[in-house]
Amino acid sequence: MSPTADPARPHPPSTPDEELLGTKRRSVIATRTEQQRIERIDRDLEAGFEALRDLGPAVTFFGSARVDPDHQYYGLGRETARRVGQEGFAIITGGGPGLMEAANRGARDAGVTSVGLNIQLPFEQAPNPYQDIALTCAFFFTRKMMFVRYATAFVVLPGGFGTLDELFEALVLEQTGKIRDFPIVLVGESYWGGLLDWIRERLLDEGMIAERDARLLMVTDDPEEVARAVCRARDVQEA
């Protein structure tokens, strides 16, 4: 947008999400009817259900798109995904670069199915080359449903707002009983330490969450510990 552009002036949508969310506020020019939007949502869901119906046990990995392959987090993410894959789990990511690429690459190292649930964005999201099943979702909410539906656990590598969004959605689903016996594992103790302190010192101490809620997260730097956690979850879920 140019410096002289009117920010309130309606503009064409850059993504299906923007078209869906912005048109009721008149900030985005409508390009579809309500029926066409519903059909687009249906296509997202149908494509995911068809592509992943025979996937088997899987673990979803989240993490930043902005991490280079020579960064320590990339190596940690790749090794963690490889170790989880050795236990027979497919690996699901958001399909982009950075730590998503690292996890898909770890799946390839382990010889298990590597899934990327890509999203249409106006920036940053380019598919990585390590995907055996690559889907492109039009909407964040359909994509996030796929992340949960086909996973045994979440592994959360360092990341920004997108990673935090996915992390806290999983926590709410677990807290409210929408999913059960579903590990949420933070990888990177130094990165996540401040967040965990805030959860206990503010949310828990001020009564915003219960003690059991604070225990929904585990944190580790050890790929072996991650593998053990997701294997325990698989045993419980399949019992």
Side-chain angles (χ1 to χ4, degrees), residues 56-90:
V59 174
T60 296
F61 279 66
F62 298 117
S64 175
R66 305 183 185 192
V67 173
D68 294 329
D70 59 354
H71 196 285
Q72 62 176 345
Y73 292 153
Y74 188 102
L76 180 59
R78 181 178 176 180
E79 173 59 20
T80 302
R82 184 195 69 81
R83 185 63 192 86
V84 169
Q86 286 181 325
E87 298 296 336
F89 293 93

Side-chain angles (χ1 to χ4, degrees), residues 121-234:
L121 291 177
F123 61 91
E124 196 174 87
Q125 181 78 6
N128 73 66
Y130 300 101
Q131 303 171 62
D132 301 314
I133 299 174
L135 299 173
T136 298
C137 300
F139 303 101
F140 270 117
F141 70 92
T142 56
R143 182 192 194 216
K144 289 196 288 186
M145 189 272 291
M146 299 294 174
F147 283 145
V148 179
R149 186 170 196 247
Y150 294 97
T152 298
F154 280 176
V155 174
V156 188
L157 300 162
F161 285 160
T163 301
L164 291 169
D165 174 46
E166 292 149 350
L167 165 61
F168 279 98
E169 178 149 337
L171 283 171
V172 170
L173 291 173
E174 182 83 11
Q175 180 193 46
T176 57
K178 305 296 185 181
I179 54 176
R180 300 177 188 273
D181 303 310
F182 192 96
I184 303 167
V185 186
L186 303 177
V187 175
E189 292 186 25
S190 63
Y191 187 86
W192 296 112
L195 175 64
L196 294 174
D197 290 342
W198 178 79
I199 287 173
R200 296 200 67 88
E201 294 170 6
R202 302 296 304 202
L203 300 186
L204 181 59
D205 288 355
E206 296 192 23
M208 304 299 179
I209 61 172
E211 176 64 40
R212 64 180 179 275
D213 300 328
R215 294 197 299 267
L216 292 175
L217 287 167
M218 65 171 287
V219 60
T220 182
D221 288 333
D222 184 359
E224 294 293 334
E225 189 173 1
V226 177
R228 289 193 295 270
V230 299
C231 286
R232 287 194 300 268
R234 178 177 56 189

